[in-house]
Amino acid sequence: MTIESTLTTFRERLGEVMDLHQAASVLHWDQEVFMPPKGAAARGRQLATLSAVAHRYFTREEMGRLLDELTEAADQLDPDDAKLVEVTRYDYERETKLPEAFVQAFALAQSAAYEAWVKARETDSFATFQPHLEKILDLLHEKADYLGYEGSSYNALLEEYERGMTVETLRGLFDVVAERQSALVEKIVNAPDPPDLAWTRGPWDEDAQWTMTLRLLQDMGYDFEAGRQDRSVHPFTTSFGARDVRLTNRVSPDDLFSALHGAAHEGGHGLYEQGFQEKDGRTPLADGISLGVHESQSRMWENMIGRSLPFWEHYAPVLRDLHPGRLDGITPQQFYQAVNHVQPSLIRVEADECTYNLHVILRFEIEVALMEGEIAVAEIPEAWNAKMKQYLGLDVPSDAQGCLQDIHWSHGSLGYFPTYALGNLYAAQLFEKILEDLPGLWDDVRAANFAPLLGWLRENVHRHGRRKTAVELIRDITGRPPAPGPYLTYLEEKYGRLYGLSGG
Ligand code: ZN
């Protein structure tokens, strides 16, 4: 076989695997958006079958043979094809390392743990969840051994969400963030004269809110010919190819801003997915680099843009028109204060930009301690509550509002949480460079002209797909590896001004 025909066969096989994954994504999207409750059992079986078939198809011997041939002939491939072979080989090796019996045992433990977690949270009983989490933890150690790692066994888990990231690197970043961010929160909590937010009280018309989200997405440059926004309980973004990227959102009559920020956030994810190159379609190159990089895109649009004063100079009048008689006399500055209100709280998903990373770092520290055997599962509540006090100054009244609040551990997704905080750090580091490259950015935002920003992101981030790792991407763009400085400076300057703190 010539190298060209090997490549053609390889791309065709890969395309078929991608088709299976994307078909599963359609079913999953439908499950969250339209499926009637009684469809759940059949849908679960369909999704399990599709993912098993995709796995079997991808990991069969033919794929290994094609990868071997192409890797051997790598110097004859053009750079795009060589990259595709390299990325696919990486995925292939990870997928073939886990024996099918282990994958099944893990899936069983996950569904039992999930059920126990739901019950444990309802009844505020950590003891109900504890044996299941212990089982999950045993299996995660086994998984780490199958996958292999250097240093901490936690590194094997991180790799799944943030390729190349390590506990050592994260500690270097997070220790600085935890110290400076909790000091900032403490100053804000003690600041005099908090803004009066009585005017934000609902109810707010739901249709008007939905109209606002569509308008914002349109302004951001989200392509409605290649996507749509629907309602779901938890907002998310999914893609069936770069020309069909779906967003979901929710509207609450009590909250004027949550749907708007949800649209900015999911819109950021969606623009990333719509920005992959046509020629990468049906290959693993048309995908986000990592969860952290994906989150950098959503958080940049949601926070750095959507929670900026120039943004509100444009959108305050728009909101006033959408809610006649309700917002007269409310200034852009008042909107700016309201969307940046800081309030330490127990629940991560309700946390503001200023306290969010602290929720993540607390979880990261507990996860590493669990994997490294420094604490036992039974000691989680105590460790959790101590860290909430240390970082956010809060007493935790119950495990339901503490260590039982998130679904992630019941899924066995240890290593996932850090990517949320990394997203914030990456976003700020990229944004610092964007402001250098686009000195007129704030004037553009004030005019809701987001084309220059989107153009920059397309050129520097989106079009590369998975050609680089997160560290390579950040270093190529900013000249430095990921660092905590830009995010902390951004927070300290912004909130220092908002809350009139001296010395930033
Ligand atoms: Zn997100």
Side-chain angles (χ1 to χ4, degrees):
M1 266 211 307
T2 65
I3 197 71
E4 281 76 25
S5 65
T6 307
L7 200 55
T8 304
T9 310
F10 171 68
R11 281 184 170 272
E12 191 47 38
R13 295 290 171 270
L14 214 46
E16 287 160 356
V17 175
M18 297 303 287
D19 291 345
L20 289 168
H21 283 303
Q22 289 172 351
S25 298
V26 178
L27 289 183
H28 184 258
W29 170 83
D30 172 77
Q31 179 176 34
E32 303 291 324
V33 174
F34 287 125
M35 191 191 74
K38 290 180 181 170
R43 185 57 47 87
R45 284 193 297 273
Q46 292 153 0
L47 283 167
T49 301
L50 268 181
S51 78
V53 171
H55 172 76
R56 228 171 283 155
Y57 208 85
F58 181 55
T59 56
R60 64 189 178 165
E61 263 177 55
E62 185 196 15
M63 181 59 80
R65 228 175 21 244
L66 290 166
L67 277 169
D68 285 343
E69 281 175 41
L70 290 168
T71 305
E72 223 164 277
D75 51 350
Q76 299 170 50
L77 301 175
D78 74 40
D80 276 345
D81 290 330
K83 204 61 187 174
L84 176 60
V85 169
E86 185 201 311
V87 166
T88 308
R89 175 173 278 281
Y90 172 84
D91 292 345
Y92 179 82
E93 284 174 0
R94 273 186 77 85
E95 278 208 37
T96 49
K97 276 177 181 169
L98 298 178
E100 222 166 290
F102 173 82
V103 174
Q104 279 170 3
F106 197 79
L108 281 177
Q110 274 176 324
S111 53
Y114 172 73
E115 268 179 56
W117 168 74
V118 170
K119 214 174 289 165
R121 195 168 71 150
E122 270 168 20
T123 55
D124 186 29
S125 157
F126 184 76
T128 304
F129 184 46
Q130 186 183 321
H132 293 275
L133 188 53
E134 283 164 351
K135 173 78 185 162
I136 290 268
L137 207 64
D138 286 344
L139 288 168
L140 286 175
H141 278 115
E142 219 179 300
K143 183 176 177 178
D145 289 338
Y146 283 127
L147 294 173
Y149 56 88
E150 281 174 43
S152 172
S153 57
Y154 190 74
N155 290 342
L157 309 182
L158 270 177
E159 183 77 11
E160 187 155 343
Y161 310 106
E162 200 67 22
R163 183 179 172 181
M165 191 49 67
T166 64
V167 171
E168 297 72 14
T169 305
L170 282 181
R171 279 211 177 105
L173 297 171
F174 287 175
D175 285 355
V176 183
V177 171
E179 193 188 321
R180 270 169 66 181
Q181 219 172 313
S182 55
L184 176 64
V185 170
E186 199 186 334
K187 277 194 210 169
I188 291 172
V189 170
N190 295 319
D193 310 324
D196 178 9
L197 300 178
W199 62 270
T200 62
R201 239 169 257 143
W204 297 98
D205 183 76
E206 296 193 31
D207 291 339
Q209 289 194 58
W210 194 256
T211 303
M212 176 64 216
T213 64
L214 296 176
R215 171 158 180 172
L216 175 58
L217 289 167
Q218 193 87 50
D219 290 349
M220 286 165 65
Y222 176 80
D223 181 0
F224 279 96
E225 298 280 299
R228 45 182 290 132
Q229 180 185 246
D230 293 276
R231 292 178 197 235
S232 70
V233 178
H234 300 287
F236 67 94
T237 299
T238 187
S239 147
F240 320 140
R243 303 298 166 262
D244 191 352
V245 177
R246 309 288 176 100
L247 314 179
T248 73
N249 203 345
R250 62 180 165 205
V251 173
S252 155
D254 304 326
D255 192 332
L256 178 57
F257 300 114
S258 75
L260 189 157
H261 291 311
H265 184 100
E266 300 308 328
H269 284 306
L271 289 172
Y272 189 15
E273 296 276 337
Q274 286 184 340
F276 300 138
Q277 300 178 62
E278 193 88 54
K279 65 175 178 183
D280 290 341
R282 290 182 93 218
T283 80
L285 290 181
D287 202 354
I289 291 174
S290 67
L291 290 185
V293 173
H294 230 304
E295 206 59 16
S296 77
Q297 299 305 293
S298 56
R299 281 163 197 261
M300 185 183 297
W301 286 99
E302 180 190 349
N303 293 330
M304 274 128 202
I305 300 297
R307 288 189 163 87
S308 70
L309 183 55
F311 179 93
W312 285 102
E313 284 167 347
H314 181 85
Y315 287 102
V318 176
L319 241 60
R320 227 176 275 138
D321 287 347
L322 282 168
H323 300 276
R326 294 288 307 275
L327 294 163
D328 297 345
I330 303 296
T331 64
Q333 177 71 24
Q334 283 173 289
F335 279 99
Y336 180 52
Q337 284 174 336
V339 298
N340 289 298
H341 181 59
V342 178
Q343 178 77 63
S345 69
L346 296 166
I347 307 297
R348 175 184 61 85
V349 296
E350 293 165 10
D352 54 72
E353 185 188 25
C354 217
T355 54
Y356 190 89
N357 283 347
L358 299 169
H359 289 267
V360 169
I361 291 169
L362 169 162
R363 287 157 175 76
F364 161 72
E365 289 175 347
I366 290 176
E367 289 185 350
V368 174
L370 284 169
M371 281 303 284
E372 295 185 350
E374 282 166 28
I375 65 167
V377 170
E379 295 168 298
I380 290 176
E382 195 189 328
W384 183 286
N385 299 349
K387 285 179 191 293
M388 277 305 277
K389 188 79 186 170
Q390 181 192 346
Y391 291 146
L392 287 159
L394 298 175
D395 293 309
V396 181
S398 71
D399 291 337
Q401 291 169 279
C403 62
L404 287 173
Q405 66 183 266
D406 296 301
I407 195 172
H408 300 58
W409 291 345
S410 76
H411 284 167
S413 304
L414 276 76
Y416 193 118
F417 283 123
T419 66
Y420 295 126
L422 283 172
N424 285 326
L425 302 191
Y426 297 160
Q429 197 163 337
L430 293 175
F431 202 67
E432 207 176 63
K433 181 72 167 102
I434 289 170
L435 286 172
E436 250 175 70
D437 289 353
L438 304 175
L441 181 81
W442 291 126
D443 290 332
D444 291 331
V445 171
R446 208 171 278 120
N449 171 22
F450 299 113
L453 173 60
L454 181 56
W456 191 99
L457 292 170
R458 288 264 187 268
E459 173 64 22
N460 290 286
V461 181
H462 301 173
R463 75 185 172 90
H464 297 299
R466 273 178 76 194
R467 283 177 179 74
K468 304 175 181 202
T469 65
V471 173
E472 285 165 354
L473 181 86
I474 300 293
R475 203 172 34 211
D476 288 355
I477 294 173
T478 70
R480 287 181 303 159
Y487 187 66
L488 291 167
T489 305
Y490 156 77
L491 279 188
E492 287 164 354
E493 285 182 3
K494 176 175 171 179
Y495 289 92
R497 270 196 308 275
L498 269 162
Y499 283 86
L501 309 175
S502 56

